[in-house]
Amino acid sequence: MKYVLLALIGLFVAMYAYAVSTIEVLGDPDRTTVVWATDPNPARTKQVGIFEELNPDLEGLVDKSDATKLIVRCATGTGPDVVDIYDVFSLATFAEAGILMDLTPFADSLGFGLDDTYAPLREGLSYEGKQYRFPCNVHANAIIYNTKILDDHGAPLPQPDWTWEDFIESALAVRNNPSKSGEEHIPFANWNSEWVFRDLLIGHGGDFFTADGLHSRLAEEVSVQAIELFRDMALKHDIMPTSAEAKSLSSQGGWGSGGIAWFFNQQAAYIHIGRWAIVQVPVYLKRNPDLVENLAAVALPRVPGHPSRGIVGTRAAGINAKTKNPEAAKRFLQYLASRDYGALIAADGDALPPNPELARTGEDLVNEHITDPAFHQPFIDAVDNGVTIKMSPFIEAQLVQRWALEAVEQVENGADPRTAITRVADRSTTASAKTCAAGPPCRPNTSRSPAKLIMTTGGKKKSPRTEDYPYNNATTKTP
């Protein structure tokens, strides 16, 4: 039976590759086409248009196909030329599958090397010492709040250098104090519990793995303290909805995130999110004309004894190792590093531009909708002070991600935080040790074939990248 199953998998891959290879790619026959697998954000059309203006011999096409099929397509030579990769978990999976081109030999000379973007992000662009991607945008979370709602409940306003205790005090005031307007408001519009936990983990001085990747750090006391604080905000203080509560309260319209709609409809006082959220401001202004004048942003609250710090991340593009247009794909990454592309990102509010020279101060990020430099500055500071998650090359990254998400959901449902997170640590360390059991030198887990990776990542339970990253919802509905 085992061999029959393997044969069927092999047959499926072969048939899929043949079928895709027979599909005609529409494009200009007089220009080389660069196919970019990215999200369906409408802004991509304008970004591709500028790329074509700067490169008249090239044509850009946006590929919005199912991300779960990308590994097979790339492995069989039928994939796009450029592939967006959304986090360090996906980067590890794609790199181990061997479908990404190593950019290291030429990235510096072409202007999209590690030194051409933000220093805290550089580790997250590489895997096993090799650069595989360059940012399309750069993001780190801050707190956006509604001054009108806080005043309505007599809640303290955030102050520089505030702590999580200060945050909880203000959020409790929104929950407990009757409002002057008679309206009720949600204290904290939690739209992604996993992202909240990750920033709490980093803010406490924790991480996923040790630097050598051999041991999980999730059993450390700082990790336990982080998930206990998460539990307290959700269950003890009841200032933020759990994932299940959020789903029951929202139709999940728009960009797949009810909490975002609550906040920008002025139904919630606080939200933990990146600058990319303001791309939606023009949509919500239709119903909330006073929205912008009520918005402000501040750095993440800090843990006593630690600075304000969270995760810095990126939607970053890599090149398909089997692309038929490698030189054109390299020119596309050069475009991502350019001032022309960066100016688009800054003006649209789509997080921070890849080139840090275009985001030195909040003044650089002022756009037509939010003109106050003080609003944009916390997001620059968050990137400058942020860190990337440390993963292990000895275990599949998305497996660890899934275990951590399960632990967060268990805690939301009343499980003991220490038990839940320690279990993830034990499983992660055990799996890493198993990979190394053959003896020194310990080698990364790179033996999985593309077919096995598809079986691992293409099941019913999608990664948070697919489900939760707001750019991946094809339609933007008016709230």
Side-chain angles (χ1 to χ4, degrees):
M1 186 66 185
K2 172 182 176 182
Y3 296 105
V4 172
L5 179 60
L6 290 173
L8 289 173
I9 293 173
L11 179 62
F12 166 77
V13 172
M15 292 176 64
Y16 182 84
Y18 175 77
V20 174
S21 68
T22 62
I23 298 176
E24 181 181 2
V25 178
L26 298 178
D28 187 339
D30 297 324
R31 295 187 291 170
T32 299
T33 300
V34 179
V35 180
W36 179 21
T38 185
D39 58 52
N41 189 322
R44 305 294 166 256
T45 302
K46 184 176 182 181
Q47 291 163 8
V48 166
I50 300 297
F51 170 70
E52 292 178 337
E53 290 179 12
L54 296 172
N55 300 273
D57 59 320
L58 300 179
E59 178 185 31
L61 290 179
V62 172
D63 180 350
K64 305 172 186 176
S65 59
D66 187 352
T68 62
K69 296 183 175 68
L70 275 176
I71 291 179
V72 166
R73 292 176 59 200
C74 292
T76 55
T78 57
D81 303 292
V82 177
V83 181
D84 276 4
I85 303 164
Y86 293 80
D87 53 39
V88 295
F89 302 100
S90 300
L91 172 61
T93 298
F94 276 64
E96 288 178 2
I99 63 172
L100 293 179
M101 182 182 294
D102 178 8
L103 309 179
T104 312
F106 49 79
D108 284 340
S109 63
L110 295 181
F112 52 84
L114 298 179
D115 291 338
D116 295 303
T117 192
Y118 305 84
L121 185 65
R122 293 167 190 167
E123 186 177 345
L125 301 175
S126 303
Y127 186 75
E128 288 296 286
K130 298 178 180 179
Q131 182 184 348
Y132 285 104
R133 57 180 186 154
F134 188 81
C136 301
N137 66 5
V138 179
H139 55 84
N141 295 318
I143 298 290
I144 304 179
Y145 59 98
N146 188 299
T147 57
K148 180 180 179 180
I149 292 176
L150 294 180
D151 178 70
D152 198 20
H153 291 269
L157 288 172
Q159 300 297 320
D161 202 37
W162 68 330
T163 66
W164 284 105
E165 288 78 7
D166 298 327
F167 170 78
I168 292 171
E169 178 188 357
S170 180
L172 283 173
V174 175
R175 193 196 74 176
N176 297 331
N177 296 352
S179 66
K180 303 168 190 173
S181 66
E183 297 181 3
E184 294 184 358
H185 297 98
I186 298 168
F188 182 23
N190 174 30
W191 68 278
N192 190 316
S193 293
E194 186 182 13
W195 282 24
V196 174
F197 166 67
R198 289 185 197 170
D199 277 342
L200 287 174
L201 176 68
I202 297 299
H204 278 77
D207 210 320
F208 273 65
F209 280 91
T210 54
D212 60 12
L214 293 175
H215 303 281
S216 172
R217 293 190 58 197
L218 293 177
E220 294 179 0
E221 194 60 28
V222 291
S223 303
V224 176
Q225 292 169 358
I227 200 164
E228 286 178 341
L229 177 55
F230 173 86
R231 182 271 316 271
D232 289 348
M233 289 195 296
L235 303 182
K236 178 182 176 181
H237 302 301
D238 192 25
I239 57 174
M240 70 177 190
T242 65
S243 300
E245 290 169 341
K247 288 178 182 177
S248 68
L249 289 170
S250 171
S251 64
Q252 292 295 305
W255 282 4
S257 42
I260 297 176
W262 300 336
F263 182 80
F264 285 105
N265 273 322
Q266 303 198 87
Q267 297 169 306
Y270 287 104
I271 192 168
H272 161 273
I273 207 161
R275 181 178 178 265
W276 50 262
I278 67 172
V279 171
Q280 282 282 76
V281 164
V283 177
Y284 289 98
L285 280 172
K286 297 175 183 177
R287 182 175 293 181
N288 302 272
D290 65 338
L291 172 63
V292 170
E293 65 189 72
N294 298 328
L295 294 183
V298 65
L300 292 177
R302 64 178 182 84
V303 176
H306 296 274
S308 172
R309 178 167 291 162
I311 291 171
V312 57
T314 176
R315 174 176 58 83
I319 297 178
N320 179 359
K322 294 189 176 181
T323 175
K324 297 178 177 62
N325 305 301
E327 297 307 314
K330 292 174 186 177
R331 287 167 63 183
F332 188 84
L333 266 62
Q334 286 181 299
Y335 168 62
L336 297 180
S338 71
R339 287 184 170 271
D340 298 277
Y341 175 82
L344 287 176
I345 296 297
D348 289 342
D350 189 4
L352 268 62
N355 184 346
E357 291 298 314
L358 301 179
R360 294 167 298 178
T361 69
E363 189 70 42
D364 294 331
L365 298 180
V366 165
N367 64 14
E368 63 175 308
H369 300 296
I370 300 185
T371 58
D372 183 4
F375 177 92
H376 302 280
Q377 187 63 46
F379 299 101
I380 298 175
D381 297 338
V383 169
D384 289 341
N385 298 325
V387 299
T388 54
I389 298 174
K390 288 184 175 62
M391 293 306 301
S392 170
F394 310 116
I395 180 173
E396 183 186 339
Q398 289 186 328
L399 186 61
V400 179
Q401 180 187 27
R402 191 187 77 200
W403 291 341
L405 175 59
E406 289 172 353
V408 169
E409 292 174 342
Q410 290 163 5
V411 169
E412 287 183 318
N413 290 321
D416 176 64
R418 183 180 297 273
T419 301
I421 202 64
T422 301
R423 184 184 298 117
V424 179
D426 292 343
R427 295 173 77 180
S428 301
T429 297
T430 299
S432 297
K434 185 176 180 180
T435 302
C436 300
C442 193
R443 298 189 181 281
N445 184 21
T446 56
S447 60
R448 287 168 291 149
S449 68
K452 291 184 73 175
L453 281 165
I454 284 296
M455 293 176 67
T456 313
T457 62
K460 287 185 178 180
K461 188 172 184 63
K462 298 179 181 179
S463 71
R465 199 293 295 173
T466 306
E467 292 180 341
D468 296 332
Y469 200 80
Y471 297 140
N472 295 313
N473 197 313
T475 58
T476 300
K477 300 177 184 177
T478 302

